[in-house]
Amino acid sequence: MTNQVSICVLGSGYVGLVAAVCFAEIGHRVICVDNNEAKVNMLNEGGVPIYEHHLPELLGKHLNRGVEFTTNLAYGVEECEAIFIAVGTPQGSTGSADLSYVEAVVSEIARAVNGYKVLVEKSTVPVYTNEWITRCMHRHGVEPGTFDVVSNPEFLREGTAIGDFLHPDRIVVGANNDRAADVLRSIYAPLTDGSYFAKSDSLPGPLSQENPAKLLVTSAQSAEIIKHASNAFLALKISFINAVSNLAESVDADIEDIAAGMGLDSRIGPKFLRAGLGYGGSCFPKDVAAFYWVAQQQGVDFQLLEEVRKINATQQEIFFNKVRSALWTLRGKKLAALGLAFKGDTDDIRDSPAIDVIKKLIAAGATVTAYDPAAIEKAKGVLPASESMSYAASAYEAAENADAVLILTDWAEFAELDMVRLDQALKFPIVIDGRNLYKPAYMREQGFTYVSVGRPAAYTAQQGKPKRLVLS
Ligand code: UDX
């Protein structure tokens, strides 16, 4: 039997909303607070503001049973013992995280405190934020001993967020005393004792009753750093393979073989070694910058992180040059762009390499018709339809009469295109793939000129391999 904890989640963005429904799913009572009234109304009427597998079912299952949505922060705080702070921590001008939303909610929490509370940092925050929160509570007159601050970083990925939450690789709890750590242990008990996985309606995944989740207790500072260091390390892995891909390309080696050969070493592992257009999204770019800033503040020279960022930015330049080199000139060219989201299986376009590449191509005089299975509406906000930008309802419609197809996002459906249909739609059979979704030999057989990342390009007999061009 779950020891039910009353949980208030502040913020109904990606992390907050997923955490709120998942806490309800494992048996707790949850009040999710957001100051955006329209969003709260939408959620209360059964709307789902983000594209995420299993979220609609779980919201349907728990709305007004395990989880309620409100704009009333004081009500959430008064009713609950654990208060998860999951508000935005956007990137400030210096690269540091902007913590003004965190400070604002902490001040409001302080005004509503009516008994012992555990404040939990769920948003990604720099080290020592736990101390700032403590100080802020004291400044607002909350007595020491009536609250604790815990860091419980979230490692979920967009698109698979619900699965990541309920079947985590690890749960990290950074608490500076046992009382607070025990509240978090109780909250996650259904995942760590396996009782959740024994339920007939639990979400299937890698964990089970016999192999439940692992919970690691550390100091608050260590937990804050675990989050930044994990994301920065994954970004580093991607930049590393991207740097190697550029070397591979210049010596006619194949980055997919190289990554497979490296990944078989169990110390390295095969994940996050996919070369391509580079990383984007709401976390990696922001967290690499924020972690670099944290190191600088402490007088630690962590130049490596700056290199990770630079390699990532260069990757888009290199891709742009590939498009130019395959098409000779860009002015007046009609290009089909497959993908707008920062990765497949999400409608999120924040810091999306696809959007940046399209902007550069348009600035160079090309016209672009884009298709994405989920992100078109969001993309229209930053790339409005115009003479040089339009949107299509399918990959084939985007390719109609285009000079080339560009693959910019790794959606599964882009890896299964009907090449005969694509060929018929296109003016020239040219595919420039920023996500390595096809094998060059296969594309050559299908009659395409195929340019990808870190692998020799495949040319059809008619197109022939161009001499190495020097681009200014
Ligand atoms: C990431 C972390 O994985 C997650 O733990 C954290 O909580 C939030 O940030 P997310 O941003 O959803 O999650 O996406 P992720 O799947 O990690 O991909 C990030 C970016 O890296 C994407 O743009 C993706 O296309 C790119 N990527 C990923 C690569 O270019 N190569 C890879 O091998 C893996």
Side-chain angles (χ1 to χ4, degrees), residues 319-335 357 360-367 403-404 406 432:
F319 184 80
F320 173 82
N321 286 340
K322 270 185 190 156
V323 179
R324 205 160 53 161
S325 139
L327 298 176
W328 188 14
T329 63
L330 288 173
R331 189 157 300 282
K333 290 278 158 63
K334 184 170 163 13
L335 303 172
V357 166
K360 280 198 188 89
L361 292 166
I362 291 174
T367 62
D403 292 276
L406 317 181
I432 306 166

Side-chain angles (χ1 to χ4, degrees), residues 89 95-99 102 121 123-135 149-153 174-176 218-230 286-300 302 305:
T89 52
S96 63
D98 172 356
L99 297 177
V102 175
E121 303 165 358
S123 313
T124 304
V125 291
V127 64
Y128 281 138
T129 301
N130 70 88
E131 292 219 344
W132 278 108
I133 293 177
T134 305
R135 226 176 278 178
V149 182
V150 172
S151 164
N152 171 224
N176 292 335
T218 68
S219 70
Q221 284 87 308
S222 298
E224 288 164 339
I225 289 190
I226 286 170
K227 172 65 197 190
H228 264 158
S230 299
K286 173 169 86 85
D287 291 352
V288 169
F291 199 32
Y292 183 56
W293 181 85
V294 164
Q296 273 182 319
Q297 292 302 301
Q298 300 300 323
V300 174
F302 209 161
L305 296 177

Side-chain angles (χ1 to χ4, degrees), residues 73-302:
L73 185 142
Y75 162 70
V77 172
E78 283 159 17
E79 293 284 309
C80 298
E81 181 177 9
I83 298 151
F84 283 73
I85 301 172
V87 295
T89 52
Q91 188 171 333
S93 53
T94 54
S96 63
D98 172 356
L99 297 177
S100 51
Y101 298 113
V102 175
E103 184 178 3
V105 292
V106 171
S107 313
E108 279 194 67
I109 295 169
R111 284 194 283 274
V113 163
N114 60 340
Y116 176 72
K117 308 283 172 191
V118 180
L119 274 59
V120 189
E121 303 165 358
K122 201 63 171 156
S123 313
T124 304
V125 291
V127 64
Y128 281 138
T129 301
N130 70 88
E131 292 219 344
W132 278 108
I133 293 177
T134 305
R135 226 176 278 178
C136 184
M137 292 288 279
H138 289 160
R139 277 183 195 158
H140 283 83
V142 184
E143 293 292 319
T146 54
F147 73 95
D148 280 303
V149 182
V150 172
S151 164
N152 171 224
E154 189 42 64
F155 301 100
L156 52 82
R157 290 163 298 174
E158 292 185 18
T160 54
I162 301 276
D164 289 344
F165 194 100
L166 295 170
H167 292 264
D169 284 352
R170 78 300 207 189
I171 297 161
V172 174
V173 172
N176 292 335
N177 67 48
D178 281 342
R179 183 182 186 188
D182 284 345
V183 173
L184 273 285
R185 283 195 186 96
S186 298
I187 290 174
Y188 287 107
L191 301 179
T192 54
D193 66 17
S195 55
Y196 170 68
F197 308 109
K199 284 171 53 182
S200 58
D201 62 345
S202 67
L203 187 91
L207 298 185
S208 61
Q209 204 176 1
E210 298 71 39
N211 175 34
K214 295 171 192 67
L215 185 141
L216 175 74
V217 177
T218 68
S219 70
Q221 284 87 308
S222 298
E224 288 164 339
I225 289 190
I226 286 170
K227 172 65 197 190
H228 264 158
S230 299
N231 271 0
F233 189 79
L234 292 170
L236 174 142
K237 250 186 131 176
I238 299 170
S239 279
F240 187 89
I241 203 69
N242 280 334
V244 177
S245 80
N246 296 324
L247 180 63
E249 211 164 298
S250 67
V251 298
D252 277 350
D254 184 326
I255 194 63
E256 298 301 322
D257 291 343
I258 295 169
M262 288 170 61
L264 282 169
D265 184 326
S266 58
R267 293 168 302 175
I268 298 174
K271 294 183 181 163
F272 280 71
L273 286 181
R274 287 196 324 276
L277 271 180
Y279 59 78
S282 64
C283 290
F284 285 176
K286 173 169 86 85
D287 291 352
V288 169
F291 199 32
Y292 183 56
W293 181 85
V294 164
Q296 273 182 319
Q297 292 302 301
Q298 300 300 323
V300 174
D301 180 11
F302 209 161

